Amino acid sequence: MTRAIVAGPDDAGLGTALETEGIEVCRVEGVLTAAVLDDAGLADADLFVLTDLDEATAITVAKDRNPDVRVVVYSHDSLPEFVRGQADLAMDPDLFGVDMVAEELA
């Protein structure tokens, strides 16, 4: 089974859409420290979905902890330059609906 961590607010309902596609989802919010991500099961996660780019440093932490995790950014904000090379996919919710994104990630 595919496992995903959805980090940050999920106002659009991407986590629910991922669950509908059969993906196991763990949701985390707040300051995304290494300990928080470890507790969320990052070591076994296939996807790390970040919705709050104020926490963009979590991308680096996620890749350091699990180099194989696919990093997906789902946000209206621009991806900071320092993590652009580490994100596998960045999408704007205004352009890509949750159902389409979940189907592609599944």
Side-chain angles (χ1 to χ4, degrees), residues 26-49:
C26 178
R27 293 167 176 82
V28 293
E29 288 193 49
V31 179
L32 302 175
T33 64
V36 168
L37 296 178
D38 288 344
D39 288 346
L42 180 62
D44 297 320
D46 302 293
L47 297 168
F48 177 68
V49 181

Side-chain angles (χ1 to χ4, degrees), residues 84-103:
R84 282 195 183 146
Q86 294 177 309
D88 295 293
L89 191 58
M91 294 172 286
D92 185 325
D94 289 335
L95 301 175
F96 301 96
V98 293
D99 293 332
M100 183 183 76
V101 172
E103 186 177 323

Side-chain angles (χ1 to χ4, degrees), residues 23-90:
I23 295 174
E24 180 183 331
V25 175
C26 178
R27 293 167 176 82
V28 293
E29 288 193 49
V31 179
L32 302 175
T33 64
V36 168
L37 296 178
D38 288 344
D39 288 346
L42 180 62
D44 297 320
D46 302 293
L47 297 168
F48 177 68
V49 181
L50 183 66
T51 64
D52 179 5
L53 289 182
D54 287 342
E55 293 293 324
T57 56
I59 294 172
T60 301
V61 173
K63 282 295 200 176
D64 284 346
R65 294 281 214 240
N66 180 349
D68 296 325
V69 74
R70 258 175 79 195
V71 173
V72 178
V73 175
Y74 192 68
S75 176
H76 298 285
D77 299 323
S78 295
L79 189 60
E81 184 69 36
F82 74 95
V83 290
R84 282 195 183 146
Q86 294 177 309
D88 295 293
L89 191 58

